[in-house]
Amino acid sequence: MKESRVESVRNVAVVSNTGAGKTSLTEALLFVAGAIPTMGSVANGTTASDFEPEEIHRRISVSTSVLHFEWKDTTVNLLDTPGALSFLGETQTALRAVDGVVLVIGAATGVRTELRRLWQSVRELRLPCLLFVNELDKEGTSFHAIIEESERTLGLTALPITVPIGAGPGLEGVVDLLHGTAIRSRSDSPKVQTGSVPADLAGDVAEARKKLLEGVAEVDDRLLEKYLSEGDLDAGELLQGLRHGVLAGKFVPVLGGSAVRTVGVAPLLDALGFLLPSPIDSATVRPLEGTHPYTGEPVVRQPSPSDRFSAFVFKTLIDPFLGRMTYARILSGTLTADSGFFNATKKVKEKGGHLFTILGKKYIPVPSAVAGDIVAIGKLKDTQTGDTLCDEHDPILYPELQLARPVMSFAVEPKSKADVEKVSLGLHKLIEEDPTLEFTRNAETKEMVLSGMGQLHIDVTFEKLRRKYGVEVTIHTPKVPYRETIKTVAQAQGKYKKQTGGHGQYGDCWLQLTPLPRGKGFEFENKIVGGAIPRNFIPAVEKGVVEAMHEGVLAGFPVVDVRVTVYDGSYHVVDSSELAFKIAASMGFKKAMEAAHPVLLEPMMSVEVNAPEDYVGAVIGDLNSRRGRILNVTASGGMQSIKAVVPLAEMLKYDPALNSITAGRGTYTMEFLNYEEVPRELAARIIDEHKAMKHAVAQ
């Protein structure tokens, strides 16, 4: 196990919005690198990465695929990630496992809403990036227009290192600005042809190379001095300066081409090895820092095979034939097959099974893995996505995943009553594969509720449930997670007194409720003086308040954004108990809330709709009818982008409505923004409906 092996590894995520050709690009990379004999296609469902039936049917990526291959002297682990924001959790976990990113923009579609959100995740993790402009073989596309749009909308500094030869259907190849050569390719062969730059492009290429030299020289004083004195840099210096700028996040090198015709793919493979960081390079920018799982003391690892073992789990797959497969990025040390280690997140020992490198759905057994490798580990019992694996005798716990919470919920009912447990078991297994799903049982309604990131996310989950576990379900309209809060300050006494022979029960407390700014949650203050309530009963008062907040006085929704202060009370030396004070606090909270002008809150969503210009008026009119507030309308890649704030209750069935309005050409993204007060007339109807429902359930 030599250090040079770690230096030669490149762990790279391919990121783009749906429809930009990301999966086609990964297929082309595999083909040109010789990892697959022929190129598959998304349309035919024959690509190495999108192999799940749900992906083949929908022609989109719904989960992260790992593609391990070699290119020249470089070992590449390519992660093909989903582009739809419904599966943002998959992409976010994948980004934690890589050292660099290839951002793909479709020249025909431009920078879409999803890409801006994905780019935000990339920047938060400070990941070095390459940009590949795909689909340059399509009519009316412009390499330079996409570069300008990416700089304007993503806020990056783009630096082209290839330029296209030809345009649209006439695309022939690309010019490599680093070496001044023309590179042509054919879609039926992985080989490329190199030659001289076409004479009619000489002027444009000279201008593009000048901009490249200037951009590189600006980030290195030594190179700047040479460039100013000699007017040029040799290929080695240019490459060194480029690499330095990429690792420092100063700029993003841009390449272009066509994935389905393999144009520009070979230069991109070279750039993966030359410009993106190895695990060793990455650790200089993002050190492998964690904490001791028991003491909380800082712990640091080195990306070396000789350091103590540690790994981060970024994906769990439950295969019907192979069983549970745990995808892990080895961050430090060495792991051998069938060896034991420690799960620092769960604080349990694990006995590992076989180790595999991964090429889509193919698993290739390997005897060991070292720092920098990405492998699948078989048969782990307790480990889940986001967990840290490490050496038991020198443990480390890496920061946990911060994933978005689900925004859409459905009540789930099996078509056969006998399948209730099968539904529960199947959904729990799917949640192990996808931590952005949530599954709960509503204690009041006895309903099983599945929550996800959007309609597409939920639909795909039910398809998997049917395929993997043979369960058919029916679903009901999503339940809106309303909340209750107060508008004014109020006080009330909660007094619980019960005598049943022998010791009785006595608890007495005075509470003040104060509204908090939206989103602040809950605060509890103890202002008891003089021992009116003994200190040991104060936690019981807080517990009683917290339990009472689970059901507000309006319609039984959770209460938020309230400060509760206990400021007076009394106790009995014999009869007072924690239970008595808990009950008294619950009574006092409900009385005070009734006097504090309680109101109903609803979740508001930040919505962005992309639609052709002809449909913008209809889209805006529909959003207004849904109580939406239009924020702005901007042009985005040949489409119009409408940003609005809309209540979740009005967006539950928006997907089919948007398809109808835009003839299937509109798309939208939706994220939770905040809670706002429900209009009075609407609130009264919602409260009456929920009271009636609770009454019916009670019957």
Side-chain angles (χ1 to χ4, degrees):
M1 304 291 181
K2 296 182 179 179
E3 209 75 40
S4 59
R5 175 174 167 183
V6 183
E7 276 283 11
S8 69
V9 172
R10 299 293 182 271
N11 294 312
V12 182
V14 184
V15 172
S16 77
N17 55 266
T18 299
K22 169 178 47 61
T23 297
S24 296
L25 179 61
T26 61
E27 191 75 5
L29 290 167
L30 291 174
F31 176 61
V32 173
I36 54 176
T38 57
M39 271 185 66
S41 76
V42 172
N44 295 330
T46 53
T47 57
S49 55
D50 285 358
F51 54 84
E52 295 278 6
E54 294 77 23
E55 295 175 311
I56 294 171
H57 165 64
R58 294 176 179 274
R59 299 183 182 181
I60 61 169
S61 301
V62 303
S63 63
T64 298
S65 299
V66 179
L67 307 163
H68 174 90
F69 64 94
E70 307 286 331
W71 172 251
K72 298 180 179 178
D73 297 324
T74 304
T75 298
V76 181
N77 289 304
L78 206 63
L79 274 60
D80 182 11
T81 64
L85 288 187
S86 282
F87 308 104
L88 178 61
E90 280 277 329
T91 304
Q92 288 177 324
T93 55
L95 291 176
R96 282 284 298 270
V98 299
D99 304 305
V101 167
V102 173
L103 197 68
V104 184
I105 299 179
T109 55
V111 179
R112 303 296 291 271
T113 301
E114 304 99 301
L115 189 63
R116 293 202 286 272
R117 180 65 184 86
L118 294 168
W119 175 246
Q120 181 182 338
S121 296
V122 172
R123 299 313 296 161
E124 286 171 357
L125 291 170
R126 295 183 295 161
L127 288 166
C129 185
L130 304 176
L131 194 159
F132 187 81
V133 180
N134 192 26
E135 302 177 333
L136 287 175
D137 58 328
K138 291 191 175 182
E139 193 73 56
T141 57
S142 169
F143 182 59
H144 298 292
I146 292 297
I147 291 174
E148 290 175 3
E149 185 184 0
S150 67
E151 289 189 311
R152 183 176 66 255
T153 59
L154 301 181
L156 54 80
T157 300
L159 208 58
I161 60 173
T162 70
V163 293
I165 302 173
L171 182 71
E172 298 178 17
V174 297
V175 173
D176 177 1
L177 296 178
L178 299 177
H179 303 95
T181 57
I183 301 174
R184 291 177 169 84
S185 59
R186 290 166 38 191
S187 57
D188 61 348
S189 171
K191 295 181 180 179
V192 298
Q193 296 177 331
T194 58
S196 57
V197 176
D200 61 335
L201 284 181
D204 292 340
V205 168
E207 182 65 25
R209 180 175 167 81
K210 180 182 177 183
K211 290 181 180 178
L212 175 61
L213 290 168
E214 291 173 350
V216 169
E218 286 178 2
V219 301
D220 188 307
D221 291 341
R222 184 182 61 81
L223 294 180
L224 179 60
E225 184 177 339
K226 181 178 180 184
Y227 177 66
L228 292 175
S229 62
E230 300 182 16
D232 200 3
L233 300 172
D234 62 41
E237 292 168 329
L238 189 53
L239 199 59
Q240 178 188 356
L242 262 174
R243 183 174 172 79
H244 171 71
V246 171
L247 298 188
K250 299 292 185 182
F251 47 68
V252 176
V254 183
L255 305 93
S258 165
V260 295
R261 291 169 57 177
T262 69
V263 174
V265 173
L268 177 59
L269 280 167
D270 287 335
L272 293 182
F274 292 149
L275 300 180
L276 291 183
S278 71
I280 294 174
D281 299 322
S282 184
T284 62
V285 179
R286 300 185 302 152
L288 303 178
E289 298 174 334
T291 57
H292 193 287
Y294 295 109
T295 67
E297 292 294 315
V299 182
V300 179
R301 289 282 182 269
Q302 299 301 321
S304 164
S306 58
D307 202 355
R308 292 282 195 175
F309 164 70
S310 69
F312 175 78
V313 175
F314 67 92
K315 182 178 175 66
T316 302
L317 186 66
I318 302 177
D319 187 278
F321 302 106
L322 296 173
R324 181 190 297 271
M325 302 296 286
T326 300
Y327 287 33
R329 159 73 186 269
I330 311 298
L331 295 170
S332 64
T334 300
L335 177 66
T336 56
D338 301 313
S339 62
F341 42 78
F342 184 64
N343 183 321
T345 307
K346 302 289 192 301
K347 297 183 174 59
V348 296
K349 295 180 182 179
E350 280 276 28
K351 178 66 168 67
H354 296 315
L355 300 180
F356 306 89
T357 57
I358 312 146
L359 180 56
K361 61 181 178 181
K362 296 180 181 178
Y363 295 96
I364 302 95
V366 291
S368 63
V370 301
D373 287 341
I374 287 178
V375 292
I377 309 171
K379 300 179 180 178
L380 298 188
K381 292 182 179 180
D382 298 306
T383 298
Q384 295 179 326
T385 300
D387 287 356
T388 299
L389 308 178
C390 61
D391 187 306
E392 181 185 4
H393 303 293
D394 191 2
I396 184 173
L397 178 63
Y398 291 111
E400 63 181 15
L401 287 168
Q402 300 294 331
L403 299 177
R405 296 293 304 277
V407 297
M408 181 173 284
S409 300
F410 284 87
V412 183
E413 186 178 336
K415 289 187 176 180
S416 169
K417 296 295 183 183
D419 287 340
V420 171
E421 290 307 315
K422 286 177 68 176
V423 169
S424 179
L425 179 64
L427 287 176
H428 276 106
K429 287 187 176 181
L430 291 176
I431 288 168
E432 287 187 52
E433 293 185 315
D434 183 355
T436 58
L437 289 169
E438 286 186 3
F439 176 61
T440 58
R441 288 179 182 268
N442 190 306
E444 288 184 28
T445 64
K446 312 300 181 187
E447 288 179 324
M448 296 186 289
V449 179
L450 181 71
S451 303
M453 301 300 294
Q455 185 73 52
L456 177 61
H457 193 203
I458 295 289
D459 289 347
V460 168
T461 300
F462 288 137
E463 287 178 21
K464 288 184 177 180
L465 183 67
R466 181 171 59 249
R467 173 175 63 87
K468 287 189 170 186
Y469 304 104
V471 181
E472 295 276 359
V473 298
T474 57
I475 59 174
H476 307 294
T477 303
K479 294 185 179 298
V480 177
Y482 292 106
R483 298 287 185 264
E484 297 181 24
T485 192
I486 59 173
K487 297 193 75 172
T488 61
V489 177
Q491 298 89 20
Q493 179 187 27
K495 189 171 185 178
Y496 180 66
K497 184 176 181 181
K498 189 174 183 182
Q499 195 69 41
T500 55
H503 287 317
Q505 294 285 353
Y506 183 89
D508 175 28
C509 58
W510 281 86
L511 303 178
Q512 175 173 294
L513 273 57
T514 307
L516 290 175
R518 200 68 64 237
K520 288 297 183 181
F522 166 65
E523 293 179 6
F524 181 80
E525 282 187 337
N526 173 20
K527 288 192 175 180
I528 294 294
V529 293
I533 299 176
R535 186 178 303 172
N536 59 304
F537 291 137
I538 298 300
V541 173
E542 182 176 2
K543 189 173 182 181
V545 168
V546 169
E547 290 185 3
M549 289 178 66
H550 290 164
E551 291 189 19
V553 298
L554 289 176
F557 294 111
V559 181
V560 296
D561 303 336
V562 175
R563 177 188 295 119
V564 179
T565 304
V566 54
Y567 62 92
D568 200 0
S570 62
Y571 72 101
H572 189 280
V573 175
V574 176
D575 292 348
S576 286
S577 66
E578 290 186 1
L579 177 62
F581 272 100
K582 189 172 81 167
I583 295 172
S586 177
M587 295 166 61
F589 177 83
K590 290 179 179 179
K591 286 167 63 178
M593 188 174 176
E594 287 175 350
H597 294 140
V599 293
L600 197 64
L601 301 176
E602 64 181 336
M604 305 297 291
M605 311 305 289
S606 175
V607 177
E608 186 165 352
V609 182
N610 280 286
E613 187 173 354
D614 293 347
Y615 301 102
V616 168
V619 170
I620 291 175
D622 181 68
L623 289 174
N624 284 331
S625 73
R626 296 172 185 272
R627 298 190 286 128
R629 299 195 303 271
I630 307 300
L631 301 181
N632 59 56
V633 180
T634 57
S636 176
M639 306 276 278
Q640 296 290 314
S641 175
I642 303 115
K643 291 185 178 179
V645 177
V646 191
L648 174 60
E650 305 290 345
M651 294 295 293
L652 298 178
K653 298 179 181 179
Y654 186 62
D655 199 54
L658 181 63
N659 283 334
S660 176
I661 292 168
T662 64
R665 297 174 64 190
T667 61
Y668 78 102
T669 59
M670 181 171 71
E671 290 185 315
F672 172 74
L673 180 64
N674 58 18
Y675 272 90
E676 292 185 9
E677 186 176 338
V678 180
R680 185 177 299 177
E681 324 77 55
L682 187 58
R685 181 171 60 79
I686 294 169
I687 291 168
D688 289 343
E689 287 176 356
H690 280 267
K691 284 183 176 179
M693 183 184 69
K694 288 178 70 174
H695 179 72
V697 171
Q699 296 296 315

